[in-house]
Amino acid sequence: MIKIAVFGAGTWGIALARLLAVNGRDVTVWSAIPTELKSLSTTHRHPNLPGMELPSTMHYTADIAEACAGKDILLFAVPSPFVRSTAKKAAPYISDSQLIVDVAKGIEDKTLMTMSEIIEDELTKQKRSARVVALSGPTHAEEVARDMPTLIVAASEDEEAAKAVQKAFSTPTFRVYTNTDRRGTELGGAVKNVIALAVGIALGLGYGDNAKAALITRGNAELSRLGIAMGCKPETFSGLSGMGDLIVTCTSMHSRNLHAGMLLGHGKTVEEAKTEVGQVVEGINALPAACRLAKKYKVDMPIVQSVDAILGGRLAASNALASLMGRDLKRE
């Protein structure tokens, strides 16, 4: 039986933990918050995933050494701001034989590293190594928790590692593909959250489907330009972790980033929007790094830059459309 430790007891980590456990994996959930673990272990439910029941076979621990011991796969599902600190805690207990899977989506502002690169960085600092795979795609936890059909990508330059993750995570309702463009896969997972903020702002201002479609399409063009400039594969951005993830995040009411954007469009402040959403809004965290990457690689990203200006108080949301529409005319 494959043994998997899930770091993080948020909706995505728990939805995946349940999926794996129901399909015959030995699953242990680690969290730095003991009260979360107590609630999960006693109620077998997650407060933000109504209707989902967790198998009684799942294990829970606040001891990261215990979580790592004897596992085949370590799954990082903590919010992006906590990936580095979690990797630092776990690194002394990670062995070379273990596979590491990251499902957190974001880019670290200070270093411009993706989440899997952060994990590798912390392992290297402690003279450890492991094979790291990014698992990303259009995957709302609320639907995975209900066994609704879902497709996702396991990405790594190490094809055997990606295939091992594909085999371990695939179920009758959860189909896993592989690719070798880990950076492009992770870039798509981070930048799409920023575009979803833009779509939400537009909806909050009362704009319609035409504007939504335009922002999704041109947002993907911005993502593709950046990815290609960073050496990623163009086809990644038309796949599940590119356009696929962008569509679901920009159109579903499960999307925290879309919700936060709508609140901003309604005139809420950033802090008010974050409080009302009540969970981590990854697009807000990824925004500074996305802007820095655009500048570093000299890529024009007007939608991303407009969102940055709105959140930074330099541009009123109501004036953003005029700013975008008034740009010089050009070929698509």
Side-chain angles (χ1 to χ4, degrees):
M1 181 183 291
I2 298 174
K3 295 184 177 181
I4 301 174
V6 178
F7 298 148
T11 54
W12 189 211
I14 293 301
L16 283 172
R18 177 205 164 271
L19 178 86
L20 294 163
V22 166
N23 286 278
R25 313 303 187 236
D26 184 321
V27 176
T28 297
V29 175
W30 172 89
S31 172
I33 306 172
T35 53
E36 280 187 334
L37 299 173
K38 183 176 180 180
S39 174
L40 292 167
S41 63
T42 55
T43 68
H44 302 292
R45 297 185 182 279
H46 191 287
N48 293 319
L49 294 171
M52 180 199 70
E53 185 170 353
L54 299 172
S56 59
T57 55
M58 288 171 55
H59 315 289
Y60 304 89
T61 182
D63 184 334
I64 206 161
E66 179 186 345
C68 292
K71 303 303 187 297
D72 301 297
I73 297 174
L74 305 177
L75 176 66
F76 279 73
V78 295
S80 60
F82 302 107
V83 168
R84 184 173 290 280
S85 59
T86 303
K88 186 175 182 178
K89 289 178 184 176
Y93 311 108
I94 294 175
S95 67
D96 294 352
S97 63
Q98 291 175 310
L99 270 173
I100 295 179
V101 179
D102 175 71
V103 296
K105 298 178 179 180
I107 305 166
E108 190 173 50
D109 183 33
K110 184 178 179 181
T111 65
L112 300 183
M113 289 181 178
T114 65
M115 299 297 103
S116 68
E117 290 169 344
I118 290 170
I119 295 168
E120 288 178 328
D121 185 46
E122 287 300 325
L123 290 172
T124 299
K125 288 177 181 177
Q126 299 191 42
K127 296 181 171 56
R128 302 278 175 161
S129 64
R131 296 180 295 169
V132 184
V133 178
L135 190 64
S136 188
T139 51
H140 282 310
E142 293 84 354
E143 296 189 5
V144 172
R146 295 165 56 198
D147 292 321
M148 299 181 77
T150 300
L151 279 64
I152 197 168
V153 174
S156 175
E157 294 81 1
D158 181 340
E159 290 191 70
E160 291 307 310
K163 288 178 181 178
V165 172
Q166 180 184 47
K167 184 177 180 180
F169 282 74
S170 291
T171 77
T173 61
F174 197 78
R175 182 174 174 83
V176 184
Y177 288 82
T178 65
N179 75 32
T180 57
D181 185 11
R182 190 180 69 180
R183 174 176 279 186
T185 296
E186 291 191 278
L187 190 66
V191 175
K192 57 93 180 182
N193 287 326
V194 179
I195 304 302
L197 287 172
V199 173
I201 291 169
L203 295 178
L205 289 168
Y207 302 149
D209 292 339
N210 291 351
K212 182 195 300 181
L215 287 168
I216 292 172
T217 306
R218 297 309 302 165
N220 192 58
E222 293 187 17
L223 167 61
S224 300
R225 284 198 298 268
L226 178 61
I228 291 168
M230 292 174 64
C232 304
K233 297 180 179 180
E235 59 267 27
T236 300
F237 306 106
S238 61
L240 289 168
S241 64
M243 182 57 84
D245 207 357
L246 186 62
I247 289 171
V248 79
T249 309
C250 292
T251 61
S252 172
M253 293 312 296
H254 292 312
S255 171
R256 288 171 278 177
N257 295 281
L258 183 68
H259 185 192
M262 291 175 69
L263 293 171
L264 293 169
H266 288 146
K268 301 280 188 179
T269 66
V270 174
E271 290 306 314
E272 287 171 340
K274 288 164 64 175
T275 299
E276 188 163 334
V277 171
Q279 299 182 67
V280 175
V281 181
E282 294 286 13
I284 295 174
N285 294 328
L287 180 58
C291 291
R292 288 184 59 209
L293 284 171
K295 184 176 181 179
K296 177 179 179 180
Y297 290 94
K298 298 179 173 58
V299 173
D300 187 28
M301 300 184 75
I303 297 173
V304 170
Q305 288 154 353
S306 293
V307 174
D308 183 58
I310 292 169
L311 269 63
R314 302 185 304 279
L315 176 67
S318 56
N319 294 332
L321 180 64
S323 176
L324 288 170
M325 295 289 282
R327 298 172 69 242
D328 291 342
L329 301 177
K330 59 179 70 175
R331 292 182 62 184
E332 184 177 28

